[in-house]
Amino acid sequence: MTQSDPVIEWLLDSDPSIRWQVMRDLLDAPQREWMAERAKVETEGWGARLLACQDEDGQWAGGAFLPAGFDPCEWRDCGQPWTATTFSLSQLREFGLDPACERVRRTVELIGANAHWEEGGQSYWKGEVEECINGRTVADGAYFGVDVSSIVERLTGQRLEDGGWNCERCNGSIRSSFASTINVLEGLLEFERATGGTPQSREARRTGEEFLLKRNLFRRLGTGEPADERFLHFLHPNRWRYDIPRALDYLRSSALLTGSAPDPRLGEAIDHLRCRRLQNGRWPLDWTLPGRVWFEIDEGEGQPSRWITLRAMRVLRWWDAHASVNA
């Protein structure tokens, strides 16, 4: 795969947050080159634009999970708002904002001092009450250099018997959710990448991955039917929602961290990802979540998406590289 590939050229003709990942994951550029491109996320494009929306106290939109002054009617009529601190931090992590930069260190301190969860009033870096929110808080905290070990310990103790997680556990649910599980797994992976993890967190990641793999990433264990047809339709930004590209990208990252080969049970999901490729070599954005955002980062539903294309291409590159070795 070379830069002369028209799809690669299309991806590079974009924001620094996409360009540096293309350079690292698809072009095998030297580290100094992709890191120099990554550094631009703080000062150019979407990263700089989102940082400019930050409040003086370190938060976004005046709240942890919800904007200040939020009216519940907005959620009902327009969709969940995505402008508060938790979703803004996760977006900056996806952009690849350098966790070592001074702006990040100051942001982490300010959020720790000023942000409190609307549900329970806990200090932000102590975690919320729902597993999926805490999974993303662990991912953001670990990526940006925060000690989130207490949240990790809590999450490892909240696994259900089938190996995953469900935000409805406190309401009596005994079956794991695909969405809750992927949120927690991404957090545990980021924690392991940053700290090496603990025996308990590594075991929790193993059982959570097995929950997804047993179901071929999208099927019900009992009937074999898709657990949710939306898992087969490609979404961005995912926020807390689950789809096949998100799960595949996570499992690729997990395998790269541990040095393991792709699990054969990914084959059906890989085939689905491959068959959704458009004739021009790109992948479409099937749907987006309604609700307030700071700004759009995709061309719109039904249009080719650079984010989904980047995710799909690096997953297939990883899968195909192992397939050729084993051929």
Side-chain angles (χ1 to χ4, degrees), residues 131-177:
E131 287 89 330
C132 57
I133 296 174
N134 280 336
R136 292 195 308 277
T137 305
V138 166
D140 296 338
Y143 179 84
F144 289 122
V146 181
D147 179 5
V148 288
S149 55
S150 62
I151 314 177
V152 169
E153 183 177 1
R154 195 185 325 160
L155 285 170
T156 60
Q158 292 172 331
R159 272 183 303 164
L160 299 175
E161 288 189 9
D162 58 13
W165 291 264
N166 193 325
C167 290
E168 295 298 320
R169 175 191 56 84
C170 60
N171 294 323
S173 177
I174 59 174
R175 293 181 181 178
S176 294
S177 150

Side-chain angles (χ1 to χ4, degrees), residues 20-300:
W20 79 265
Q21 296 183 66
V22 172
M23 294 168 68
R24 182 192 65 179
D25 299 335
L26 301 181
L27 296 175
D28 298 323
Q31 183 176 4
R32 67 180 181 279
E33 294 182 13
W34 62 256
M35 287 194 69
E37 187 64 31
R38 180 192 187 187
K40 297 177 184 177
V41 171
E42 181 183 2
T43 57
E44 300 178 17
W46 294 324
R49 189 173 175 186
L50 186 52
L51 286 169
C53 297
Q54 189 177 18
D55 302 332
E56 290 186 4
D57 67 358
Q59 299 186 94
W60 276 264
F65 186 79
L66 296 169
F70 171 72
D71 182 347
C73 292
E74 177 184 346
W75 196 321
R76 183 194 65 204
D77 298 338
C78 305
Q80 181 177 351
W82 309 108
T83 52
T85 301
T86 182
F87 299 108
S88 297
L89 279 176
S90 293
Q91 193 74 77
L92 289 169
R93 172 168 55 86
E94 180 180 48
F95 291 164
L97 179 65
D98 185 352
C101 72
E102 177 59 33
R103 179 66 179 269
V104 166
R105 290 196 292 269
R106 181 62 177 154
T107 292
V108 163
E109 293 173 359
L110 286 170
I111 289 173
N114 299 314
H116 294 81
W117 295 103
E118 291 84 359
E119 180 67 36
Q122 309 93 322
S123 177
Y124 191 90
W125 297 120
K126 296 298 182 183
E128 215 243 12
V129 297
E130 291 192 8
E131 287 89 330
C132 57
I133 296 174
N134 280 336
R136 292 195 308 277
T137 305
V138 166
D140 296 338
Y143 179 84
F144 289 122
V146 181
D147 179 5
V148 288
S149 55
S150 62
I151 314 177
V152 169
E153 183 177 1
R154 195 185 325 160
L155 285 170
T156 60
Q158 292 172 331
R159 272 183 303 164
L160 299 175
E161 288 189 9
D162 58 13
W165 291 264
N166 193 325
C167 290
E168 295 298 320
R169 175 191 56 84
C170 60
N171 294 323
S173 177
I174 59 174
R175 293 181 181 178
S176 294
S177 150
F178 285 81
S180 296
T181 297
I182 197 65
N183 280 277
V184 175
L185 284 175
E186 288 172 348
L188 295 180
L189 179 64
E190 204 64 63
F191 177 74
E192 190 170 329
R193 185 180 287 118
T195 69
T198 66
Q200 294 79 14
S201 71
R202 292 191 293 271
E203 173 62 12
R205 268 211 322 116
R206 186 194 68 79
T207 65
E209 290 179 1
E210 188 64 19
F211 169 82
L212 297 179
L213 290 166
K214 279 183 178 179
R215 294 157 177 80
N216 299 93
L217 302 194
F218 69 98
R219 296 195 179 278
R220 295 188 186 278
L221 194 59
T223 67
E225 295 296 316
D228 189 328
E229 289 291 341
R230 288 173 296 184
F231 295 169
L232 301 169
H233 301 148
F234 299 169
L235 166 72
H236 189 266
N238 284 83
R239 313 299 186 185
W240 59 267
R241 302 297 283 264
Y242 179 94
D243 67 358
I244 282 177
R246 181 178 186 176
L248 286 170
D249 205 23
Y250 162 79
L251 288 161
R252 167 192 170 272
S253 296
S254 173
L256 291 176
L257 181 65
T258 60
S260 56
D263 192 293
R265 290 172 289 182
L266 298 178
E268 186 179 14
I270 289 286
D271 289 344
H272 179 72
L273 183 69
R274 205 185 299 275
C275 79
R276 291 298 317 284
R277 191 171 197 172
L278 302 173
Q279 287 188 344
N280 61 10
R282 307 171 187 182
W283 274 262
L285 175 69
D286 291 327
W287 66 299
T288 58
L289 295 168
R292 192 195 321 180
V293 297
W294 288 113
F295 50 86
E296 300 291 346
I297 57 173
D298 274 294
E299 295 300 318

